[in-house]
Amino acid sequence: MTEPQSNWSASAPDTDRTGNTNRVDIFDRHLNLVDASTIFTKVMNVTPTISLEQRYPHLDRADILRYLKEGTQEPLRLARDLGNGRVIDVTVFAIGHLFGVIEADRPMDTEDRSTLLHQATHDPLTGLPNRRQFSSDLSQALRAISGPADNVALMQLDLDDFKPVNDTLGHPAGDKLLQLAASRIASCLGHNERAYRLAGDEFAVISLGQGHPGQSHELGERLVSAFKAPFTLDGIAVFVGISIGIALAPRDGSDPEKLMKASDVALYAAKTEGRGRASAFEANMLHVIEQREMLRRSLRMALEKQQFSIDYQPIVGSKGIAGFEALLRWDHPLLGTIPPSVFIPVAENDGLMPEIGSWVLEQACREALEWPEEFTLAVNVSPAEFLTDGLTDRISQTLDEIGLAADRLEVEITEGVLLERTVDNLDTLNTLSVLGIRISLDDFGTMYSSLSYLKNFPFDTIKIDKYFVSDLENNSKSQAIVRSVIVLAHDLEMVVTAEGVETPAQVQWLNSHGCDRIQGYVISPPLKVNAMKSFLATMSQSLGSPPASSEKAGQDRSGMNIEPST
């Protein structure tokens, strides 16, 4: 390839008396070459047609940008083996708003060989051995197995919630987090255990010796426990967990490919079971994976074949029915009814939630038109759907096309949504609020529960999760938490809804402590559309009063006197 030509003169190669060839170049922060003769003049001639990549194709652009962002005064030193007994030394150094590159071609010595070997087998960001070294070490460890007492444990590790940190705080913070994570992993290891960075936020550990599987399980639990403590990035506490898949040789495989597959399957199981845990490979996991793949293929056809339906669960206040929550159902022709907890994560991973969510919103709004105008419609929006561009436009357009009043729609989100892209989230929620749409914080108290959410985001309703409601009758801690949430929400002029209410005793307790609304099987299970008319008639007779309008906070607190459905 012909090297680009220019009219500047400061970078011609120079050969010294030892036979070494040197070159010095100056670049701007856009990685474009600068005419060195004009550096100290008011006008600099920049030659954008000659970039760093063109001038030094062997340099990694990411390494240079990372060095410049760090702002260190120490030069960045790199080396490259030419393969002919000579080595190229590259030194990068900052010069104000510019940076220089010095390249020296010289004979290789013993120290050079050691340096180049380290660079070839280690990750430059974390200092851990890289994938190349990992592959070599794993093959060597498996070949060394000579009897039943010899074991090799392979762990694949993935950081949980790394992407939100990287997207929100920026790539430099993400790099720092990877360095801290690598250090934390290494601090948990013993003398027969070694950590590696494979790629991105993916790590691995090879553990040798006897004592498996108990030893590998203990190490996995130790790693999971270590990642429960926060990382501090520029004064900000960040929580990033870790999921681990464990495979043992020779039990789960005696060659690298089989052992990698087994640990990968175990890692998949750990992530689908809730993340932040270590899972050891089991043969039945393969069957689960196969079922999940079949589910994934079927899910793509479910909308087209009209296999989705919506059930509606009543939400009741002091004066009667306030509205219904739309609950998505998938009626699979072979597998029967598949719960949302199973197929929603699959849909999110495959990017199907925006399409499915749009269908749910449109279908539910059309059916809500048949209800009394006083009833509200609550629709769940998943994190994957909430973070897609154009959400507020799609919701507004759907309401306009169908003719449902905006104040009859309540959008329910979970705390997990608020962890990512905080500024964008606030804009989205404010836009929905301006449109007149109500906003509900679902499952409050089960995830991160930052009180700053309640201060910074425009919520109309807080929904107390059934986890705190289920043992209200006999658990003083649950009583204290629910009582505090009710008082807090009312002080912030928010309505409180308790989910998962199943007994009259729970209704009585919530009634006595001022909870605005309840939802659960004590009132009714989720209903098909064709069952709603009879339910409404029954409830109207049982309550002895007409359905109430969906009041804002402060208008629905006179106390509930609700009889459970029979």
Side-chain angles (χ1 to χ4, degrees), residues 189-224:
L189 305 184
H191 67 282
N192 283 329
E193 297 156 348
R194 192 178 191 188
Y196 306 81
R197 184 188 178 202
L198 302 184
D201 62 344
E202 302 171 14
F203 296 84
V205 170
I206 296 176
S207 178
L208 307 177
Q210 302 178 4
H212 301 287
Q215 180 179 322
S216 60
H217 179 74
E218 291 174 4
L219 174 57
E221 292 301 318
R222 195 158 63 244
L223 286 163
V224 169

Side-chain angles (χ1 to χ4, degrees), residues 39 108 114 179 221 227 229 232 298 312 326 378 385 462 466 501:
I39 289 178
M108 182 184 296
S114 178
Q179 292 172 333
E221 292 301 318
F227 274 75
T232 302
S298 300
Y312 296 90
E385 184 183 1
I462 292 177
K466 62 183 179 181
V501 184

Side-chain angles (χ1 to χ4, degrees), residues 466-520:
K466 62 183 179 181
Y467 173 80
F468 301 106
V469 175
S470 61
D471 58 358
L472 264 181
E473 301 162 56
N474 49 35
N475 190 308
S476 60
K477 291 183 179 180
S478 291
Q479 292 174 358
I481 292 171
V482 173
R483 187 165 48 240
S484 299
V485 172
I486 292 173
V487 172
L488 174 64
H490 288 171
D491 286 345
L492 295 173
E493 298 186 346
M494 298 177 186
V495 171
V496 181
T497 299
E499 295 183 289
V501 184
E502 296 184 352
T503 69
Q506 292 169 357
V507 174
Q508 183 178 1
W509 192 96
L510 292 165
N511 176 42
S512 66
H513 288 84
C515 183
D516 303 310
R517 297 170 183 170
I518 65 170
Q519 178 181 351

